[in-house]
Amino acid sequence: QLIFYNQCLANRNQKKLDRSFGLILGNKVEKMDTVHTKIKAIDLKFNFDTKKANLGIQIDAHDSEKQQIYWDKFLSIKQWLLDEVNPDFIFDANYEVIPGKYIGYIYIPLKEKVSIHNKKSWEVVISFFNKNMLALEDFFIEYYDFIKV
């Protein structure tokens, strides 16, 4: 029952945070955790949970050959991403999203310890997302034609 309560609390806090975040960004995103890119295998992903926050590019193609093609494309523009968006990006070709499920994830972790349950950390997370999300989206739009397969 405690697990269910914590999940309900997290869901409620996520909805409140989504509304707060939407107000700051002018409702640019409907749901904070994913921005679809019109490329089936690639999403811009935003994570905020009870221990951490990060944002980045998820590469999850069902075909391993396409997965490698996308990964290689991002590696070829890695320095531009680091220079134009944020030098703290981590490139992880085998990021485990759930046990046994691996994807390519290029992400920036927020260095501060935060929790979705602690509203005092929301301002830090929203500022982090706002600064980096907009720059990441601009970068993605600029290199979209190169990235798509």
Side-chain angles (χ1 to χ4, degrees), residues 2-136:
L2 181 59
I3 292 170
F4 179 73
Y5 172 78
N6 284 339
Q7 184 61 41
C8 287
L9 182 61
N11 288 342
R12 191 175 80 229
N13 283 342
Q14 182 70 51
K15 287 177 184 171
K16 286 180 184 176
L17 182 66
D18 286 352
R19 280 194 301 274
S20 299
F21 194 62
L23 290 173
I24 288 170
L25 290 180
N27 293 317
K28 188 172 177 94
V29 291
E30 278 180 31
K31 187 170 186 269
M32 188 176 59
D33 81 349
T34 306
V35 173
H36 299 289
T37 61
K38 298 182 182 174
I39 299 175
K40 193 173 188 172
I42 298 175
D43 286 317
L44 304 184
K45 190 76 172 171
F46 313 97
N47 299 305
F48 180 28
D49 60 29
T50 58
K51 297 179 183 173
K52 66 188 178 317
N54 64 54
L55 67 98
I57 303 164
Q58 282 192 344
I59 306 168
D60 187 14
H62 295 293
D63 175 345
S64 61
E65 195 173 304
K66 265 194 174 178
Q67 180 82 8
Q68 190 61 50
I69 290 168
Y70 283 124
W71 186 255
D72 290 343
K73 283 182 174 253
F74 277 102
L75 285 179
S76 72
I77 58 174
K78 177 180 181 177
Q79 194 57 52
W80 293 331
L81 182 65
L82 298 174
D83 292 343
E84 294 177 29
V85 181
N86 190 311
D88 296 329
F89 271 102
I90 296 169
F91 282 66
D92 189 344
N94 296 301
Y95 185 85
E96 191 170 28
V97 288
I98 57 172
K101 168 84 170 144
Y102 296 90
I103 63 166
Y105 194 32
I106 302 164
Y107 66 99
I108 312 166
L110 177 63
K111 292 180 174 111
E112 291 91 344
K113 292 200 181 274
V114 292
S115 172
I116 195 165
H117 296 306
N118 181 356
K119 289 183 182 179
K120 292 178 183 175
S121 58
W122 289 10
E123 187 176 329
V124 172
V125 173
I126 289 171
S127 175
F128 168 75
F129 282 167
N130 191 24
K131 173 186 171 201
N132 292 292
M133 177 190 312
L134 298 174
L136 183 59

